[in-house]
Amino acid sequence: MNERINKQVQFLDWGLIDYQEAWDKQGELFNQTVDQKIQNRKVEESDQTETPNYLIFCQHPHVYTLGKSGKPENLLLDEEGLKQYEATYYKINRGGDITYHGPGQLVGYPILDLENFFTDIHKYMRFLEEAIIRTLADYGIKSGRIDGLTGVWLDHEEQKNPRKICAMGVKSSRWVTMHGFAFNVNADLSYFGHIIPCGIDDKAVTSLDKELGRKVDFEEVKDKVKGYLAEIFEFEMVYESQEK
């Protein structure tokens, strides 16, 4: 029994928001969607309700997050160090190891029912990466993937100085996704010096402004990423209820 297909995605811009607050709000939308799918299984197809899809953009104050498969020792700061750098630390339920979020970094949280699109989590990750790759191409930057590593990389072919510009980590349940990607646009890269990013200690991290040698229009980048996600996933963006 299949729910009605919904190709619309509601866009929500939460601006600069505390990580815990965003996690709670994201979890609420995720749980509501999963619960709707469970409820749909209990009724006839004609009585089922379309499951919603969301695309959330935001930025966070300085924060380190550790995925469920991550190693705590990849955070190189103790509690005093975190206070010194005005950063917080959370262990969370996405895949992946440790990463950093902060101002100037575009964080995207797609909460999609993949049964509205396709049921392939690997394809989903590649689609997220592709939106960033196309955005970077608009700025004249060639990027791509490295086998066995998620995210988007520069110097991904010869790998003389491979550097990650966008990290990714997701969770899914009943084909509903949460968490997502962190794209370094105008990010303070010094904060990556206090972790082993994603557990990888032999590759660097970079940002769009560093590669271009200038600050980038953050709103312009958001519009490009949003547009490419809609194009790649073939969904219709809607802009209702944009309250924080």
Side-chain angles (χ1 to χ4, degrees):
M1 187 183 298
N2 294 318
E3 291 93 345
R4 297 175 181 177
I5 299 300
N6 176 23
K7 292 284 190 179
Q8 289 191 329
V9 174
Q10 183 171 322
F11 178 71
L12 301 171
D13 190 336
W14 288 349
L16 182 66
I17 183 173
D18 176 76
Y19 187 84
Q20 183 69 59
E21 182 183 356
W23 190 8
D24 290 345
K25 292 175 69 172
Q26 186 188 173
E28 184 177 347
L29 295 174
F30 173 83
N31 290 333
Q32 288 173 356
T33 304
V34 171
D35 289 346
Q36 182 62 62
K37 295 193 73 171
I38 293 171
Q39 191 62 35
N40 279 347
R41 295 292 194 269
K42 298 176 181 178
V43 300
E44 295 296 326
E45 188 168 358
S46 59
D47 295 326
Q48 292 180 4
T49 302
E50 289 181 348
T51 49
N53 305 293
Y54 303 93
L55 175 61
I56 300 158
F57 278 1
C58 64
Q59 299 178 68
H60 295 305
H62 303 298
V63 59
Y64 296 105
T65 67
L66 183 72
K68 59 186 179 182
S69 60
K71 297 179 180 180
E73 57 266 31
N74 287 333
L75 174 64
L76 307 179
L77 294 174
D78 57 16
E79 288 189 18
E80 284 302 313
L82 288 169
K83 290 179 182 177
Q84 179 182 345
Y85 290 99
E86 298 182 339
T88 53
Y89 170 62
Y90 294 98
K91 295 179 181 179
I92 60 174
N93 59 354
R94 61 162 169 78
D97 206 289
I98 197 163
T99 195
Y100 159 78
H101 300 308
Q105 182 188 73
L106 175 60
V107 178
Y109 295 133
I111 303 177
L112 307 180
D113 179 1
L114 290 184
E115 289 193 298
N116 287 322
F117 303 96
F118 49 77
T119 51
D120 185 333
I121 199 69
H122 295 288
K123 181 178 179 179
Y124 171 68
M125 297 290 286
R126 303 296 82 78
F127 274 24
L128 295 182
E129 291 166 348
E130 185 64 24
I132 305 301
I133 290 169
R134 294 187 189 183
T135 298
L136 289 168
D138 284 348
Y139 291 94
I141 294 177
K142 186 177 181 181
S143 63
R145 306 170 180 87
I146 295 178
D147 287 346
L149 300 175
T150 59
V152 178
W153 298 79
L154 277 57
D155 191 17
H156 59 292
E157 294 176 331
E158 294 187 6
Q159 295 188 36
K160 292 180 179 178
N161 178 30
R163 49 211 186 276
K164 179 181 279 191
I165 197 165
C166 183
M168 296 187 179
V170 304
K171 172 190 174 180
S172 68
S173 176
R174 296 179 181 266
W175 295 112
V176 180
T177 66
M178 68 179 291
H179 300 297
F181 62 85
F183 178 21
N184 297 328
V185 180
N186 297 315
D188 183 345
L189 298 179
S190 68
Y191 276 80
F192 285 98
H194 307 303
I195 60 173
I196 300 175
C198 302
I200 302 168
D201 59 7
D202 63 343
K203 293 178 176 62
V205 176
T206 191
S207 62
L208 184 55
D209 65 333
K210 180 179 180 180
E211 296 296 327
L212 294 177
R214 61 177 174 84
K215 291 295 181 184
V216 186
D217 184 329
F218 198 80
E219 293 301 315
E220 179 182 83
V221 174
K222 284 163 59 175
D223 285 343
K224 288 180 179 293
V225 174
K226 184 171 52 176
Y228 283 127
L229 285 170
E231 178 181 300
I232 294 164
F233 280 88
E234 299 181 346
F235 60 63
E236 176 190 353
M237 200 82 74
V238 295
Y239 296 88
E240 301 170 354
S241 304
Q242 294 200 35
E243 304 90 1
K244 289 188 181 180

